[in-house]
Amino acid sequence: MTQHQVVIVGGGPTGLMLAGELALAGIDVAIVERRTTCDLIGSRAGGITPRTIEILDQRGIADRFLAQGRIGQICHFAWIMLDISDLPTRHNYTLGLPQYRIERTLAGWVDELGVRTHRGREVIAFAQDDSGVDVELSDGTTLRAAYLVGCDGGRSAIRKVSGIGFPGWDASTSCLLTEAEVSDEPPWGLHRDAVGFHSFFRLEADGPVRVMVTEPEVGRPDEPTLRDVSDALITRRGTDYGLHNARWISRFTDVTRQADRYRDRRVLLAGDAAHVHSPAGGQGLNTGVQDAVNLGWKLAQVLTGTSPDSLLETYQAERHPVATRVLRNAMAQGTLLEPGPRVDALRDTVSEMLSLDESRRRFGAMMCGLDIHYDLGDGHPLLGRRMPDLDVTTPAGTVRIFTLLQEGRGVLLNFDAPWVFDVTPWADRVSAVDVEYEGPWELPVLGSVAAPDAVLIRPDGYVGWVGDGTATGLRAALTTWFGPR
């Protein structure tokens, strides 16, 4: 029996990001992935939004992705385009990048960190007890882990075997998706019609055309074919534009469900295993990666004995409401994409509203993941929100705050005169730095906020404590997020 501290089931973006976070903290983690390579069949995701780019930047690997993708300073809400060039972030753009490239790049990072991946294998059974989980693989291997994390998608076997509920709404529409070549130039962009919608675009300048088209019926059990895509296009456009040489073909629906709990003792869920929704707005992959970063440092601290098991309860408390909001806005977007004159009128109204700067910025921040606010109590507006990536002056020179987070540790920044507080008992978990900063403090949606005297930044980049010139509450915050002295 092979032993690991954590076994992750699923080597997609969520599983890979979680593995990287755990390995960065020195945790022995392994991935079980049924595919033999990172080459995807039916990849839906096509890009990364600003908050996810920030997270990758916090780990020093954002440039690996930026070098491959296409940058655009827009996002969309139900294909109503939103200019995000004035959002207060260093990364005020989305990155068009196929999921297989995202996975390959994350896999390369994870390999550098020494994570073992069991490819071409599936979990066929598991059983947990008070001290861990026995995981049986399809090749007869048995793994033993302190924790098992299901990152195995919307049909998650880990979720089902654990008995975790998955309530929500059944599908009301079905779409075909493919990447293929065309002989004739298609009408680029999204088009709504009497049945639903169809679209044509490229994720890469010299790549295949990504075609999406609504199916005439919902719930077909058969595997989709290129003929199905061609027939659907011909019905709407009178031509399939010479569609041929499909790389893959898949079907997706707007089924919307969320796990009623993200944890069953020593089994946890993240990504699509915990929540599924339509791909409207491109939020699925990004929400999953952000789940992983929220969970990773917490699980690592529990495993090292730094923090009590109760720290894991904050994972669901923080991430479940975030996914609930994503599900609701995805359903709203789906409604705005439906056919008919009544929806046309609604789209016109919403488009007019989103043309106003305040609404545009608010919805843009939501779609980009920049407005996430964890409820950590009352206090300074920074509390529970992402830390801006400011250029600060330290005794060693000027640095970006995100570079201080690259080791996956907490960071305590003092912007005011040094106080009388001994941070030494947490020195193995938190880096304390005296810094200076001259400039505005601006947050997405909220705008300008008062400059804090000090901030405690968690490893995921969210602010866990804000100082008001004294160390009041700092000991409690350090204990909450980084364990007792």
Side-chain angles (χ1 to χ4, degrees):
M1 179 183 294
T2 304
Q3 297 203 11
H4 300 283
Q5 289 175 289
V6 179
V7 169
I8 297 170
V9 183
T14 301
L16 288 167
M17 192 72 209
L18 178 58
E21 291 290 290
L22 290 168
L24 199 62
I27 300 301
D28 176 11
V29 55
I31 299 172
V32 177
E33 168 55 49
R34 61 181 178 81
R35 294 170 296 153
T36 57
T37 70
C38 288
D39 293 323
L40 295 183
I41 302 299
S43 168
R44 298 180 194 175
I48 310 176
T49 53
R51 180 54 192 153
T52 302
I53 301 173
E54 286 189 340
I55 284 172
L56 298 171
D57 196 1
Q58 289 171 188
R59 296 300 179 257
I61 58 174
D63 287 347
R64 304 185 188 191
F65 299 85
L66 297 175
Q68 303 177 62
R70 304 176 71 183
I71 287 174
Q73 291 187 301
I74 57 170
C75 68
H76 71 86
F77 185 82
W79 286 90
I80 299 169
M81 296 302 164
L82 305 172
D83 177 8
I84 59 172
S85 62
D86 58 352
L87 291 183
T89 170
R90 198 178 296 269
H91 302 289
N92 55 352
Y93 49 79
T94 56
L95 181 70
L97 191 64
Q99 185 173 332
Y100 78 90
R101 289 188 178 272
I102 297 171
E103 286 197 14
R104 283 181 182 175
T105 308
L106 283 173
W109 176 55
V110 165
D111 286 344
E112 293 169 14
L113 294 171
V115 174
R116 181 176 179 183
T117 301
H118 301 272
R119 287 198 173 273
R121 304 171 197 179
E122 297 183 59
V123 173
I124 60 174
F126 66 87
Q128 59 175 313
D129 53 42
D130 291 341
S131 61
V133 188
D134 292 323
V135 185
E136 185 179 345
L137 305 187
S138 54
D139 65 350
T141 303
T142 299
L143 306 178
R144 174 73 175 176
Y147 289 91
L148 175 68
V149 186
C151 301
D152 51 339
R155 297 184 178 90
S156 172
I158 305 304
R159 184 190 66 239
K160 293 174 182 176
V161 173
S162 297
I164 295 175
F166 204 43
W169 296 268
D170 293 332
S172 64
T173 187
S174 179
C175 292
L176 298 170
L177 181 65
T178 187
E179 285 187 351
E181 306 295 334
V182 293
S183 301
D184 302 320
E185 187 86 357
W188 301 106
L190 179 89
H191 309 272
R192 293 172 59 249
D193 55 41
V195 176
F197 61 88
H198 55 278
S199 64
F200 305 87
F201 58 94
R202 296 185 194 272
L203 292 179
E204 302 172 283
D206 57 350
V209 177
R210 176 167 283 208
V211 180
M212 184 164 53
V213 59
T214 306
E215 285 191 286
E217 57 183 295
V218 180
R220 287 180 56 176
D222 57 318
E223 289 296 319
T225 66
L226 187 60
R227 182 73 265 165
D228 293 330
V229 181
S230 294
D231 288 346
L233 288 175
I234 290 170
T235 298
R236 289 158 177 73
R237 310 291 309 194
T239 176
D240 66 358
Y241 301 96
L243 196 68
H244 66 281
N245 194 25
R247 294 188 177 184
W248 51 263
I249 306 165
S250 71
R251 173 183 287 121
F252 69 88
T253 70
D254 62 347
V255 62
T256 304
R257 297 187 180 279
Q258 184 175 20
D260 54 21
R261 52 198 167 102
Y262 284 10
R263 181 187 182 193
D264 174 42
R265 295 170 291 162
R266 291 184 172 270
V267 177
L268 297 112
L269 304 176
D272 287 353
H275 40 75
V276 295
H277 52 84
S278 80
Q283 300 171 97
L285 180 152
N286 293 277
T287 304
V289 167
Q290 292 168 41
D291 284 347
V293 175
N294 184 283
L295 174 61
W297 66 276
K298 297 173 180 177
L299 186 54
Q301 290 188 177
V302 170
L303 283 163
T304 58
T306 301
S307 295
D309 180 83
S310 58
L311 181 63
L312 290 179
E313 299 306 316
T314 68
Y315 169 57
Q316 169 160 336
E318 293 178 355
R319 294 304 298 173
H320 196 280
V322 170
T324 297
R325 191 179 185 213
V326 170
L327 264 60
R328 293 186 67 81
N329 82 51
M331 288 194 292
Q333 292 181 76
T335 298
L336 287 169
L337 288 170
E338 291 177 0
R342 295 183 183 276
V343 177
D344 291 343
L346 179 60
R347 281 185 67 88
D348 289 344
T349 300
V350 173
S351 295
E352 183 176 351
M353 178 191 71
L354 294 180
S355 69
L356 303 174
D357 281 345
E358 182 176 353
S359 300
R360 172 183 59 79
R361 292 192 190 102
R362 181 175 293 272
F363 273 66
M366 176 181 70
M367 299 307 295
C368 293
L370 293 171
D371 70 340
I372 292 171
H373 179 212
Y374 298 139
D375 184 7
L376 305 185
D378 298 328
H380 193 282
L382 274 169
L383 187 64
R385 290 185 167 86
R386 54 175 276 288
M387 180 68 184
D389 185 26
L390 308 176
D391 291 306
V392 295
T393 302
T394 74
T398 300
V399 298
R400 293 193 296 118
I401 288 177
F402 282 6
T403 63
L404 300 175
L405 293 166
Q406 289 183 4
E407 295 180 0
R409 291 160 47 90
V411 177
L412 175 61
L413 298 181
N414 176 27
F415 291 92
D416 202 5
W419 52 51
V420 181
F421 184 87
D422 185 12
V423 186
T424 305
W426 291 273
D428 60 332
R429 292 155 263 175
V430 178
S431 301
V433 187
D434 290 332
V435 297
E436 296 179 359
Y437 173 71
E438 296 294 335
W441 285 78
E442 188 175 2
L443 297 179
V445 178
L446 297 184
S448 297
V449 299
D453 292 313
V455 292
L456 176 64
I457 311 171
R458 308 186 323 185
D460 58 359
Y462 287 83
V463 176
W465 172 84
V466 181
D468 58 359
T470 70
T472 302
L474 178 55
R475 184 186 304 277
L478 285 165
T479 302
T480 295
W481 303 121
F482 302 102
R485 292 167 59 96

